[in-house]
Amino acid sequence: MAENCVTVVEIGSSKLSCMIAERGVNNTFNIKAKACVDYAGFFEGEFIEKAYLDDAVMTLLSQITSVYKKKIKKVYVGVPAEFSKVVTENYQLNFKNRHTVTQKDIDTIFAKVSEQKYMDDMEIIAINPIEYSLDEAKNIQNPLKQKCYFISAELSLVLAQSSFVKLFNKIWSKLGIEQVEYLSEPLAEGLGVLEEEERERTCIVIDVGARSTSVAFVKGNAMTNLTSFSMGGSYITSDLSEACGIGYQDARNLKKQIVLSLKGDNEDTYELATLGGKVMKFPLNFVNEAVCYRIGIIASTINECIRVFAKEYVPFYPIYLCGAGLTKIKGGKDYLAKCLNRNVSYGVPKVPGADKPENASLYGLVARALDR
């Protein structure tokens, strides 16, 4: 029996990840190979060391093919929020008589919308329905086989920077990959962590990565809006490095110990065995305050994104937190929730054994690729 595998690449803000997988039983994936490579990343929609991006992708492909011995013909590449934009479009199809909606009608609507040019430097990578209206009936998710005189569709279009697509097309071509398809990372993540019934209303999916944070508004099978900013967990590490006078790697190790819910006495400390072989002590409250300060800045920026990009006042919309930037800090989610003054839940993939928020993006992309 032939394998029905997909090869997916996630472009993170500090590392590239690749997974080759096929569908397993009971919502699982059979993972054939997995690899990860650190690289310089991106900042404000630009790759920091673009000249070395080819090498990083080549190393990633080399690692994955050393495990998966077969030729890879096609890759699915996730496009991060910083290289994306979401626009919404309404399109109406009128019928002469009362008409039963068919798949051909839906395809016609999608084709008409996809013909339009939205921005010179961006191209459409996904069109998804937010909701349909049939005559006077609103908020319909599946219009097929229903009767009406006209159907109106509110559609979400995800646009990717043309420069991003061209850059990766060139790299994959150089590496002998014949086909490349681009998927929206925040959309795949949102659909991967949210149940269908949750998506009947707008949910907010926040991904705090190493250097980038995205805020996606997800409804139905689509995003109604998307924004991002260049700040994440590595900023917390840098703050600790500076505040404690230690190296970046030592600060990373210190961060692993932190429990933000602890309120210590003046004598309470975190103890760190540094890479230089010293044992250093740092006041618990001082360290926690340094971390909370940066989370507060991230939270206020998220709040501003919600205020600017939400189509309506959304105090009760559920919020889900993904990514490794905050979720790996003990108490990080709860302190973010306190700063946002809202409930925050972890956004985890619905995949047994992989249900961690840092897996949401990659596993969401794999699920999306397999659905294609």
Side-chain angles (χ1 to χ4, degrees):
M1 187 173 164
E3 282 185 357
N4 189 18
C5 287
V6 293
T7 302
V8 168
V9 176
E10 177 193 12
I11 312 296
S13 59
S14 67
K15 65 180 182 179
L16 304 173
S17 303
C18 182
M19 187 188 286
I20 300 176
E22 63 180 354
R23 282 229 184 269
V25 295
N26 299 327
N27 234 17
T28 59
F29 297 146
N30 291 332
I31 299 169
K32 304 293 181 180
K34 195 176 175 185
C36 189
V37 170
D38 290 328
Y39 79 124
F42 56 80
F43 179 79
E44 293 183 353
E46 292 285 341
F47 286 101
I48 296 166
E49 293 179 359
K50 197 183 280 189
Y52 297 104
L53 186 59
D54 299 45
D55 294 340
V57 177
M58 196 181 299
T59 304
L60 185 72
L61 195 66
S62 172
Q63 283 187 15
I64 206 91
T65 50
S66 69
V67 179
Y68 186 77
K69 305 292 185 184
K70 298 172 187 175
K71 180 173 168 58
I72 296 169
K73 293 181 180 177
K74 178 172 184 176
V75 293
Y76 292 86
V77 178
V79 182
E82 287 206 22
F83 299 89
S84 312
K85 190 175 176 64
V86 168
V87 297
T88 55
E89 189 74 46
N90 286 288
Y91 191 88
Q92 186 170 305
L93 205 55
N94 299 304
F95 308 111
K96 288 180 182 175
N97 303 303
R98 197 165 161 77
H99 174 82
T100 303
V101 178
T102 65
Q103 187 59 50
K104 190 179 176 185
D105 299 323
I106 304 297
D107 292 344
T108 299
I109 292 171
F110 276 55
K112 292 288 184 189
V113 170
S114 67
E115 285 168 7
Q116 299 182 50
K117 184 75 177 169
Y118 290 89
M119 291 172 192
D120 288 339
D121 59 343
M122 304 200 90
E123 53 192 81
I124 299 169
I125 58 167
I127 303 178
N128 293 288
I130 299 166
E131 63 182 36
Y132 296 95
S133 299
L134 304 177
D135 299 339
E136 301 308 313
K138 310 276 186 196
N139 200 11
I140 290 164
Q141 293 301 314
N142 185 5
L144 291 175
K145 297 183 181 176
Q146 298 197 45
K147 294 187 175 182
C148 61
Y149 288 101
F150 69 85
I151 176 172
S152 175
E154 185 183 4
L155 301 176
S156 162
L157 290 82
V158 184
L159 311 177
Q161 282 182 14
S162 299
S163 56
F164 178 96
V165 173
K166 284 174 187 163
L167 176 65
F168 278 94
N169 279 348
K170 198 173 169 185
I171 292 171
W172 294 117
S173 175
K174 222 189 275 185
L175 296 174
I177 301 293
E178 296 164 14
Q179 292 175 276
V180 188
E181 187 170 334
Y182 293 90
L183 304 173
S184 167
E185 274 182 21
L187 176 60
E189 184 171 65
L191 297 180
V193 303
L194 299 171
E195 298 288 353
E196 201 172 325
E197 56 269 22
E198 290 175 291
R199 290 185 267 115
E200 288 174 9
R201 62 172 177 165
T202 301
C203 294
I204 299 170
V205 179
I206 297 165
D207 186 303
V208 182
R211 298 195 189 102
S212 182
T213 295
S214 64
V215 182
F217 298 80
V218 182
K219 185 180 180 185
N221 292 316
M223 290 187 290
T224 58
N225 239 317
L226 173 69
T227 185
S228 63
F229 54 94
S230 288
M231 194 185 297
S234 68
Y235 282 64
I236 296 170
T237 313
S238 295
D239 289 349
L240 281 174
S241 172
E242 192 175 329
C244 299
I246 53 177
Y248 189 83
Q249 189 56 51
D250 284 330
R252 286 180 73 171
N253 292 332
L254 176 61
K255 193 164 77 167
K256 290 173 188 174
Q257 295 185 42
I258 289 167
V259 182
L260 293 181
S261 58
L262 293 178
K263 289 280 180 279
D265 296 324
N266 290 338
E267 303 80 41
D268 290 325
T269 59
Y270 290 112
E271 199 171 277
L272 175 72
T274 69
L275 295 176
K278 285 196 228 168
V279 174
M280 298 180 76
K281 291 185 178 182
F282 304 98
L284 183 145
N285 290 343
F286 171 76
V287 170
N288 282 8
E289 280 166 19
V291 173
C292 289
Y293 171 75
R294 179 60 65 177
I295 295 175
I297 295 173
I298 291 170
S300 64
T301 313
I302 289 169
N303 258 335
E304 185 62 12
C305 291
I306 292 171
R307 190 187 69 77
V308 171
F309 284 87
K311 290 186 174 179
E312 53 194 320
Y313 186 52
V314 286
F316 304 113
Y317 283 8
I319 291 186
Y320 293 86
L321 177 65
C322 305
L326 280 186
T327 60
K328 288 196 163 186
I329 299 171
K330 296 177 192 78
K333 172 183 75 74
D334 295 333
Y335 190 74
L336 178 73
K338 183 182 173 184
C339 293
L340 294 174
N341 196 24
R342 314 161 73 104
N343 290 329
V344 176
S345 306
Y346 286 123
V348 299
K350 299 184 284 288
V351 180
D355 49 350
K356 292 180 179 174
E358 62 264 33
N359 292 333
S361 181
L362 182 58
Y363 278 79
L365 287 167
V366 171
R368 198 94 177 119
L370 286 165
D371 287 343
R372 307 288 275 198

